Amino acid sequence: MNPDESDRLHAGGNRGKTKRTPQKAPMTLDEPISFYVPARNAEKHLAECIACIRAQTRQPDELFIVVDPRSQDQTAEVANGLGVAVLKQTGPTLGTARNQAILAARHRWLASCDSDVFIQPDWLERLASRPGESAVGIGGRT
């Protein structure tokens, strides 16, 4: 079976049985996108980061930040003041924050940038316009 077929076979821990799971359809340009920002001690740059996200030519359909509870500044308060949904990080690492964001996101497509990154206005549009690609490189100024 080749990867272009509509189903993929996955061998799992189901006692040697093979189960079929449907392959997800590729992204379309108008598909909803969730956008999250992991943040720890991000008070200094967060407002500009959020402003850059809100200035996107292709707006995200959901925006939230995941705040590390070890933050020693006003990161959560800044986000709340900007009207951004705040999730409190439940684990100790950045990986935990990213996994939490994946589980919390309402949409299957997810974009992210760090809190000290200021993305260009067409960043999300350019990513969304390449739906058939399986790997994406990202960048921005800090």
Side-chain angles (χ1 to χ4, degrees), residues 47-84:
E48 186 174 359
C49 175
I50 297 301
C52 289
I53 295 167
R54 288 185 169 154
Q56 292 297 293
T57 55
R58 196 299 188 188
Q59 287 289 302
D61 301 279
E62 174 184 37
L63 174 60
F64 61 94
I65 70 165
V66 181
V67 176
D68 187 323
R70 297 171 294 173
S71 283
Q72 298 176 357
D73 65 4
Q74 302 297 309
T75 298
E77 291 80 359
V78 168
N80 282 325
L82 295 168
V84 177

Side-chain angles (χ1 to χ4, degrees), residues 99 107 138:
N99 288 333
H107 307 295
I138 58 174

Side-chain angles (χ1 to χ4, degrees), residues 7-89:
D7 293 331
R8 290 197 178 180
L9 291 176
H10 296 279
N14 55 358
R15 299 184 189 210
K17 295 178 185 175
T18 302
K19 73 176 186 181
R20 286 190 184 270
T21 55
Q23 183 179 2
K24 294 194 179 203
M27 181 178 191
T28 61
L29 292 176
D30 59 346
E31 188 153 358
I33 299 174
S34 294
F35 199 116
Y36 79 93
V37 178
R40 179 178 183 198
N41 295 328
E43 175 182 24
K44 181 178 176 184
H45 300 290
L46 189 59
E48 186 174 359
C49 175
I50 297 301
C52 289
I53 295 167
R54 288 185 169 154
Q56 292 297 293
T57 55
R58 196 299 188 188
Q59 287 289 302
D61 301 279
E62 174 184 37
L63 174 60
F64 61 94
I65 70 165
V66 181
V67 176
D68 187 323
R70 297 171 294 173
S71 283
Q72 298 176 357
D73 65 4
Q74 302 297 309
T75 298
E77 291 80 359
V78 168
N80 282 325
L82 295 168
V84 177
V86 176
L87 298 176
K88 290 190 178 179
Q89 183 177 323

